[in-house]
Amino acid sequence: QQQVKQSPQSLIVQKGGISIINCAYENTAFDYFPWYQQFPGKGPALLIAIRPDVSEKKEGRFTISFNKSAKQFSLHIMDSQPGDSATYFCAASISGTASKLTFGTGTRLQVTL
Amino acid sequence: NAGVTQTPKFQVLKTGQSMTLQCAQDMNHEYMSWYRQDPGMGLRLIHYSVGAGITDQGEVPNGYNVSRSTTEDFPLRLLSAAPSQTSVYFCASSYHSMGSGTGNTIYFGEGSWLTVV
């Protein structure tokens, strides 16, 4: 059972464009929603995270939008750059559950010149 | 500042062989965990530990054993390797998350690529 569904599987965006990745979750007990960025040959690294008591969080060019009623959250990358080309994973967890992240299936982003 | 260190980086095993993937962290994190990453499936939790001497199963524990004798180390043992265990394995660690919705940054190692033939 896929508790966190992520789309699209792959995404090609021109430099300067907006990249949007969407995730939907099923377990209403989830209360922490991080996004991870992974470059080839490396481990995932935390990019940005949000709690369900806010609808949006922005850090630089990266923004998470959160819709609790729809059980959906999305990552927006503004002014996308070639250096943003990576695989992005959304995830969800229940606080206090020992780093037990449930991951989406990942989105491979390619930013072209 | 090493963070989370995994060894080996690459390993080829024959079906039925056993081996141990090593993981060490130098951040004094209470929580450590092992994930496997397969194409199209994201990362899935194998086992985790909330502190020395305490371990529990994740989503896909079959065929793997763990132990946590120290805060720093969390080895993953493959008892009898099978081709289905061909994957990239990631060890992760974090501090204890305090309170609802706080979550803590989880740090991942660089991965161990395992092929079982």
Side-chain angles (χ1 to χ4, degrees), chain B residues 4-25:
Chain B
V4 179
T5 303
Q6 293 183 230
T7 56
K9 183 84 170 180
F10 300 98
Q11 183 73 48
V12 178
L13 282 179
K14 293 183 178 179
T15 297
Q17 286 185 320
S18 63
M19 77 157 298
T20 300
L21 299 177
Q22 302 291 344
C23 175
Q25 53 91 9

Side-chain angles (χ1 to χ4, degrees), chain A residues 8-112:
Chain A
Q9 186 174 353
S10 62
L11 183 61
I12 300 175
V13 174
Q14 281 195 326
K15 179 182 176 181
I18 302 173
S19 303
I20 302 174
I21 304 170
N22 301 300
C23 284
Y25 64 97
E26 298 171 4
N27 188 347
T28 55
F30 288 144
D31 61 359
Y32 177 66
F33 303 89
W35 284 89
Y36 279 81
Q37 180 188 55
Q38 184 180 31
F39 293 105
K42 301 295 184 181
L46 180 66
L47 188 63
I48 187 173
I50 198 168
R51 300 170 296 173
D53 56 347
V54 297
S55 60
E56 185 175 283
K57 183 175 181 180
K58 183 177 181 179
E59 290 185 359
R61 296 185 294 108
F62 301 92
T63 300
I64 299 178
S65 297
F66 186 83
N67 185 330
K68 187 174 182 178
S69 61
K71 295 188 287 185
Q72 295 176 345
F73 59 110
S74 60
L75 176 70
H76 296 237
I77 306 174
M78 312 300 288
D79 187 26
S80 298
Q81 299 297 313
D84 296 331
S85 298
T87 299
Y88 292 82
F89 292 95
C90 62
S93 70
I94 303 170
S95 294
T97 57
S99 306
K100 292 173 66 176
L101 289 170
T102 298
F103 282 87
T105 51
T107 296
R108 181 171 294 183
L109 171 65
Q110 182 181 354
V111 181
T112 61

Side-chain angles (χ1 to χ4, degrees), chain A residues 1-2 9 31-34 36 38-46 49-53 87 89 93-106, chain B residues 9 31-33 35 37 40-45 48-50 57-59 90 93-97 99-111 113:
Chain A
Q1 182 183 2
Q2 185 70 42
Q9 186 174 353
D31 61 359
Y32 177 66
F33 303 89
Y36 279 81
Q38 184 180 31
F39 293 105
K42 301 295 184 181
L46 180 66
I50 198 168
R51 300 170 296 173
D53 56 347
T87 299
F89 292 95
S93 70
I94 303 170
S95 294
T97 57
S99 306
K100 292 173 66 176
L101 289 170
T102 298
F103 282 87
T105 51
Chain B
K9 183 84 170 180
Y31 290 172
M32 296 187 73
S33 50
Y35 291 83
Q37 183 175 20
M41 300 188 75
L43 288 89
R44 293 178 293 167
L45 182 65
Y48 66 97
S49 169
V50 302
Q57 296 181 351
E59 180 185 353
F90 289 97
S93 72
S94 72
Y95 288 115
H96 171 64
S97 62
S100 174
T102 53
N104 274 323
T105 299
I106 297 170
Y107 296 87
F108 284 85
E110 295 209 331
W113 272 253

Side-chain angles (χ1 to χ4, degrees), chain B residues 26-38:
Chain B
D26 61 358
M27 298 172 281
N28 203 30
H29 286 164
E30 299 97 332
Y31 290 172
M32 296 187 73
S33 50
W34 277 101
Y35 291 83
R36 61 176 289 173
Q37 183 175 20
D38 302 290

Side-chain angles (χ1 to χ4, degrees), chain B residues 27-102:
Chain B
M27 298 172 281
N28 203 30
H29 286 164
E30 299 97 332
Y31 290 172
M32 296 187 73
S33 50
W34 277 101
Y35 291 83
R36 61 176 289 173
Q37 183 175 20
D38 302 290
M41 300 188 75
L43 288 89
R44 293 178 293 167
L45 182 65
I46 304 171
H47 285 286
Y48 66 97
S49 169
V50 302
I54 306 170
T55 64
D56 205 347
Q57 296 181 351
E59 180 185 353
V60 288
N62 293 339
Y64 307 95
N65 263 358
V66 292
S67 60
R68 184 102 178 265
S69 57
T70 68
T71 299
E72 296 79 20
D73 300 300
F74 191 44
L76 178 71
R77 298 182 188 84
L78 281 71
L79 308 173
S80 177
S84 61
Q85 294 179 302
T86 294
S87 187
V88 184
Y89 291 85
F90 289 97
C91 180
S93 72
S94 72
Y95 288 115
H96 171 64
S97 62
M98 305 293 290
S100 174
T102 53

